[in-house]
Structures are given as C-alpha cells and as structure tokens.
Amino acid sequence: MTTTLAQDLKDAAALLARANDVTLLGHVRPDADALGSALALGRALQLRGGVKVRVSVGEPEEMPETLRSLDVGGLYVPASELPESEQLLVALDTPTPGRLGKLAPRVDAVRAAGGDVLVIDHHASNVFYGTKHVVDDTAEATAVLVFALLAELGTEIDEPIARCLYAGLVTDTSGFRRARPSTHLMAAKLLEAGVDPDKVVREIVDDHPFAWLPMLSDVLAGARLEPEEARGFGLAYAVVTLDAARTVRGEEVEAVIDVVRSTREAGVAVVLKEAEPTGPRQRWQVSLRSTGGVDVSAAAGELGGGGHRQAAGCTAEGTAGEVLDRLRAALSRAPLL
C-alpha cells in the first residue's frame, strides 16, 4: 500500500466516523462489486448506530434479484424514494458522475451545500469528482478498498459484510483468476467470517431461469467471429435485442458476455444489449472484454464509456451495425497491453 493510499484511507475513515447521514451509491445497472461494496460499508455504518444509512443506484429502480440476498440490513432504497439531500454522499465503483445515471446531480448538490462526496473506486478512468477519494486502479475490485477502509475504521467483519465483499471479489476477479496473493488472503479472511462460497457464487453468477437457455440460443445463433479485427487479435460479438430479452431478467442479458468471451479465436468479445430508446434512435449498452492483447477501456472511452483494460463498457446510439462499425474503428486504435 502506498503512503498516499494509506493517508486517503485514514481521511476517509475520519469522515465516515463523524457522519450521521450517509447515502451510498453504486453505478447504474450495478454488479456485485458496486452493490456489494456499498452494502458492506453501509452495514458497517448501520451497526455503529446513530447513523441514517441508505444504499441506492440510478438504474434500475429495484435491486437486481441476484443481489438481493446481500442486503441483510434492508439498506436499499429505490432512487425515487431517496431524500432530497444528505450530509455525506459515497460513490462506489463509479469512475465518473455520469455512471450514476439520474442520480449524478446529487454530486454537485452535496458539494454546493457544503457536504462531502467520498469516492471509492478502482477504475483507472476515475476523474476524481469528490471532495475525498480512495482510488487505486491496482486493486482488483472496489471491495478490496472497502475491506481496507473497514480495517481503518476498526470494524469487526460479520458474515453479512463478508458475504458482500466476497461477492465483489469473486465477480471482479473472474472467479479469482486475476487475483493477487494478497487478495486470496483477503478472501480467506472472509471465508473465516462465515461466507459460504458455493452459495454466493451460485446465487450471483450461476443461477439462471430456464428462459435463459432459449434466449441464449437465439442470441448466439447470430454471433459472429471476425478474426482480423481488434488489431488482429480477433473480434467475437453478439447482439441482444429487446425482443430477444423480453422473457428474462437483466442479469441474464448481462451474462451473455461471459459466454461470448470464452471464444478461443477472439481476443476481444463484444455484446450489444438493446435498451429502451430515449429518443428516435436505437440505444445500446455495450460490454467489451479482452483476453489481454487489446485495451478495451480505450475503445469504450472513444464512445463515451470506460472501465478496465480487460473489461469495459459504454452506451451508444444508432443501429447495431453503426455501433459495431464505431467499435471496430475504436478497437483498431486501442493500445496493446
């Protein structure tokens, strides 16, 4: 741990220690790292007593079904039911205010009112939009930083907190395939706190309704491989239309990228997921994954998104063909890793 990060953790812990009204936000369409980190820190504050704590995201209104078991303390509040303001806003796993969706204006509102915005994140694309920051792009997950912050706060990690952090770790490290020894040691401590790893992974990663299978069959039938794209590393892509996704949850749509990225012949995998249009043009949520040859965060950044070098995303408008053309061009310029 660097001297700067150690000081940032001390400053963040001091800020949280004196807070009595806190809203913790994850990014839109949250994954287990975003919500798990928020719920873990929120529960730690809740257990301290005398603190109003709420956890939310800008989209969707309801917590994803696969993550609901993490909210033991009932901290989740739909975005539409949040109070007008809070003394302290904590944004987790969210590199830019835009990733907060419709809740992004709260950042400026809190700062204008003299409140604090604490940003806890592990994305290299973080723009440092808070008043305090715990940002480390070498951390495999935001959960790693929350774990360190809880140690700074002197919080005893119970099973619900440990489960939230473990969920973030297991998803953002691709089942610990990209975890350092220190992160495995952290996972061991979480298991010692009582986490059932099989149950966590099944609920969050492996559990799908039967409707997922015909949806997947339909989508993968249209998947394509372009061996010369992505700077010669190969591109595999699939498109999930609103019609194809009508029988499944958002979790099933998000899981398609994990199937496409297993393609041996492609160093880059892309999935376009059609979203409800906000104007006359089609709108797509795009997931990109790299096996390590191409920096997909740079490609996503060209389209207004961001993320990690091997896992990134963006939102784009146009036909699927138009968006794919822009992605091909961006990938052709993306740095090599």
Side-chain angles (χ1 to χ4, degrees):
M1 182 184 298
T2 66
T3 302
T4 300
L5 180 58
Q7 185 60 53
D8 288 344
L9 287 166
K10 289 182 182 297
D11 292 344
L15 184 65
L16 290 165
R18 61 178 181 265
N20 54 35
D21 189 302
V22 185
T23 297
L24 302 104
L25 301 180
H27 56 71
V28 292
R29 300 179 297 280
D31 57 10
D33 191 29
L35 263 183
S37 296
L39 289 167
L41 183 54
R43 179 170 171 81
L45 297 173
Q46 182 185 49
L47 292 176
R48 193 180 78 199
V51 186
K52 294 179 182 178
V53 184
R54 58 196 77 83
V55 172
S56 191
V57 297
E59 179 188 331
E61 185 76 357
E62 299 298 325
M63 181 185 293
E65 184 179 340
T66 53
L67 302 178
R68 290 175 188 169
S69 63
L70 301 179
D71 189 13
V72 172
L75 296 175
Y76 189 82
V77 177
S80 62
E81 298 178 17
L82 287 174
E84 290 186 5
S85 63
E86 54 280 309
Q87 296 174 356
L88 174 60
L89 184 70
V90 184
L92 298 104
D93 203 43
T94 305
T96 66
R99 288 288 286 149
L100 294 171
K102 63 185 178 183
L103 296 179
R106 298 182 83 91
V107 173
D108 287 340
V110 169
R111 297 189 64 162
D116 282 294
V117 177
L118 172 61
V119 177
I120 307 172
D121 185 36
H122 71 128
H123 291 89
S125 55
N126 194 283
V127 297
F128 291 80
Y129 55 94
T131 58
K132 299 286 184 183
H133 303 88
V134 176
V135 175
D136 179 10
D137 65 0
T138 69
E140 298 96 326
T142 295
V144 172
L145 300 174
V146 172
F147 182 77
L149 182 54
L150 294 180
E152 190 66 41
L153 284 165
T155 300
E156 182 177 348
I157 295 181
D158 62 6
E159 190 278 333
I161 291 176
R163 192 189 332 152
C164 290
L165 296 175
Y166 189 87
L169 278 189
V170 76
T171 53
D172 262 34
T173 61
S174 300
F176 295 101
R177 289 193 292 272
R178 293 182 289 104
R180 293 175 295 183
S182 60
T183 307
H184 282 280
L185 291 173
M186 172 184 163
K189 292 178 181 178
L190 299 178
L191 296 180
E192 289 173 354
V195 173
D196 181 339
D198 181 65
K199 187 172 186 290
V200 171
V201 173
R202 179 160 186 81
E203 287 179 348
I204 294 175
V205 180
D206 296 337
D207 186 40
H208 298 289
F210 183 80
W212 186 57
L213 296 180
M215 183 276 285
L216 197 60
S217 175
D218 181 31
V219 169
L220 294 184
R224 295 292 182 267
L225 173 67
E226 299 178 353
E228 303 306 315
E229 293 294 338
R231 304 199 60 175
F233 285 91
L235 169 67
Y237 68 85
V239 177
V240 185
T241 63
L242 284 172
D243 185 59
R246 72 185 185 280
T247 61
V248 297
R249 308 169 300 179
E251 290 95 317
E252 275 65 62
V253 177
E254 294 298 327
V256 174
I257 188 65
D258 293 321
V259 179
V260 178
R261 71 179 178 87
S262 65
T263 304
R264 179 187 305 163
E265 297 90 343
V268 173
V270 171
V271 173
L272 272 61
K273 300 158 288 185
E274 189 176 11
E276 293 290 345
T278 56
R281 307 189 77 195
Q282 284 178 290
R283 189 164 62 99
W284 303 89
Q285 296 161 3
V286 183
S287 295
L288 301 95
R289 300 291 184 270
S290 170
T291 58
V294 180
D295 181 354
V296 292
S297 70
E302 284 199 30
L303 277 71
H308 306 291
R309 295 176 180 87
Q310 292 180 252
C314 60
T315 300
E317 292 187 349
T319 66
E322 290 170 342
V323 174
L324 284 165
D325 282 344
R326 282 157 41 206
L327 284 168
R328 291 186 189 98
L331 287 167
S332 72
R333 295 185 288 269
L336 300 180
L337 296 177

